[in-house]
Amino acid sequence: MKQLKHKKLLLALIVIILLICIGFVSAGFYFFKVACVPGPKSFLSSSSSKLTKSDPLYHEKKWFRDSTKQKWHIKSADGQYQLTANYLPCHNSNKTVVVLPGYMDTKEDMGEYDALFHKMGYNTLTPDPRSQGQSQGKYIGYGWPEKNDVKKWIEFLLQKKGQQQQIVVYGLSMGAATAMMVSGLKLPHQVKAFVEDCGYTSVKDEIEHEAKALYNMPAFPRFPLVEILSGINKMKVGYFMKDGSSITQLHKNHRPMLFIHGDRDKFVPTEMVYQNYRATRGPKKLWIAADSAHAKSFANHPKAYRKHIENFLTKYVK
């Protein structure tokens, strides 16, 4: 009788463990869809496409809207997807900035940054990341697979515009993390510098932060859930989230990099920029923009933003 009770208890325990595991795996697939599958995101603020003169970047956005854009196309680095970019020439300049959009943003959302660099005398090449805008793709890679696409865009730019090009890579938010990940690759010598604005330390760090910030999720079940999500990401996208590390790539970087971050950033916590800044091996500068939330440093400080970037790049791009 006692042995039978023990067997029943063991069976009940196994069933409970299996149900918990099934629950975690189901939750992992749900959060993978929320985080990594393109589509409307309830946690993102919707930005109006209406242009108003009260917008601090009205002139930049209007310039972009009125500009003629060349459409460029390449295949992704893995050959799976057709990727699209805007190219905006600046007179006969041999200086080009590759402008990298953020999470669920498109090349059209980066118009004020195209205008910013155009005023400095740069051409701009602004790709839609895979699965965003007009670029094909199944999943959002948070910069890790996209870094190889950016390298391919750089090589394509050199083929089209010549080896005399001087190239800067600029990124915002996810695009900033992508830029930092690109910095650790073997790149053509024409890549002179990087500018990153509010990028995260790693995909895993950012996902863990969002699980806590958006869902108020305690350490348990957050830790096992993120690990399961990372395993699903490995199956679907091809990498574990901890491997998608800006810091690891920055350790390999010896090119100049300007780091920008708002002091009130809650989406990508401001403390992440200090870790990224310490990690890079090249010349560097850090600017913390006062009273600025995530990706708002340019809108809040347009003159200072341009000055910081211009002063930094002048040292490395002739």
Side-chain angles (χ1 to χ4, degrees):
M1 184 66 73
K2 190 178 286 186
Q3 194 174 11
L4 185 61
K5 280 184 178 180
H6 285 159
K7 284 183 178 179
K8 285 182 177 180
L9 280 171
L10 183 61
L11 182 61
L13 184 61
I14 291 170
V15 169
I16 290 168
I17 291 171
L18 282 173
L19 288 172
I20 291 171
C21 290
I22 290 168
F24 269 114
V25 172
S26 298
F29 275 100
Y30 169 78
F31 283 111
F32 176 81
K33 183 177 180 181
V34 169
C36 303
V37 177
K41 306 295 180 185
S42 60
F43 53 86
L44 294 179
S45 57
S46 57
S47 56
S48 172
S49 59
K50 188 177 179 182
L51 189 57
T52 62
K53 290 191 175 181
S54 60
D55 188 326
L57 301 175
Y58 168 80
H59 294 291
E60 287 82 0
K61 291 178 181 179
K62 187 176 186 305
W63 174 88
F64 175 77
R65 186 169 291 187
D66 296 341
S67 295
T68 302
K69 296 98 179 166
Q70 297 178 22
K71 287 290 187 290
W72 287 13
H73 306 278
I74 64 168
K75 280 283 188 183
S76 59
D78 55 15
Q80 291 190 73
Y81 307 117
Q82 180 86 348
L83 305 179
T84 303
N86 283 336
Y87 177 77
L88 281 82
C90 180
H91 311 301
N92 292 312
S93 176
N94 69 342
K95 303 185 295 184
T96 301
V97 178
V98 181
V99 179
L100 305 178
Y103 179 85
M104 290 308 299
D105 285 336
T106 73
K107 59 189 180 302
E108 310 304 323
D109 297 315
M110 301 301 287
E112 58 266 43
Y113 298 92
D114 287 334
L116 168 72
F117 288 111
H118 193 272
K119 287 179 182 177
M120 294 183 199
Y122 289 85
N123 315 299
T124 58
L125 175 62
T126 308
D128 279 333
R130 54 173 71 189
S131 80
Q132 299 180 197
Q134 294 178 318
S135 289
Q136 296 176 344
K138 292 175 69 176
Y139 305 114
I140 301 162
Y142 285 86
W144 193 245
E146 290 87 349
K147 72 184 186 302
N148 300 312
D149 298 336
V150 174
K151 181 179 178 181
K152 193 169 180 182
W153 276 118
I154 290 168
E155 292 166 349
F156 186 68
L157 170 68
L158 292 171
Q159 288 170 20
K160 281 185 74 77
K161 294 300 176 180
Q163 299 300 307
Q164 78 285 358
Q165 286 287 308
Q166 299 179 81
I167 299 169
V168 173
V169 180
Y170 168 91
L172 182 72
S173 190
M174 187 187 89
T178 307
M180 290 186 282
M181 293 170 186
V182 170
S183 77
L185 300 177
K186 187 176 180 181
L187 298 170
H189 68 86
Q190 290 91 343
V191 178
K192 301 299 182 184
F194 292 84
V195 180
E196 76 84 27
D197 182 348
C198 62
Y200 38 81
T201 49
S202 75
V203 180
K204 185 172 184 285
D205 290 345
E206 181 59 16
I207 293 293
E208 285 184 336
H209 169 73
E210 293 308 318
K212 185 177 180 182
L214 295 176
Y215 299 96
N216 201 25
M217 198 179 290
F220 185 86
R222 187 172 71 243
F223 174 75
L225 187 56
V226 170
E227 291 301 319
I228 290 167
L229 175 58
S230 179
I232 296 168
N233 196 73
K234 173 67 173 176
M235 289 188 294
K236 299 279 191 179
V237 189
Y239 74 99
F240 291 111
M241 288 179 163
K242 66 178 174 59
D243 295 330
S245 172
S246 301
I247 287 178
T248 298
Q249 293 298 97
L250 286 166
H251 280 308
K252 304 173 192 175
N253 174 54
H254 294 275
R255 287 178 170 86
M257 186 170 295
L258 172 62
F259 296 82
I260 301 170
H261 219 104
D263 66 349
R264 295 189 180 180
D265 195 334
K266 304 299 181 189
F267 197 76
V268 176
T270 307
E271 56 262 28
M272 285 190 181
V273 75
Y274 297 105
Q275 299 174 59
N276 288 330
Y277 179 79
R278 287 194 295 269
T280 193
R281 297 294 183 254
K284 55 190 174 182
K285 192 164 184 180
L286 171 63
W287 176 46
I288 303 297
D291 302 319
S292 296
H294 185 67
K296 295 297 183 184
S297 299
F298 186 25
N300 290 351
H301 308 281
K303 289 182 180 178
Y305 198 91
R306 174 175 174 171
K307 184 178 178 182
H308 278 280
I309 292 177
E310 203 162 29
N311 289 348
F312 184 78
L313 293 181
T314 298
K315 300 174 188 175
Y316 308 107
V317 184
K318 307 304 178 187

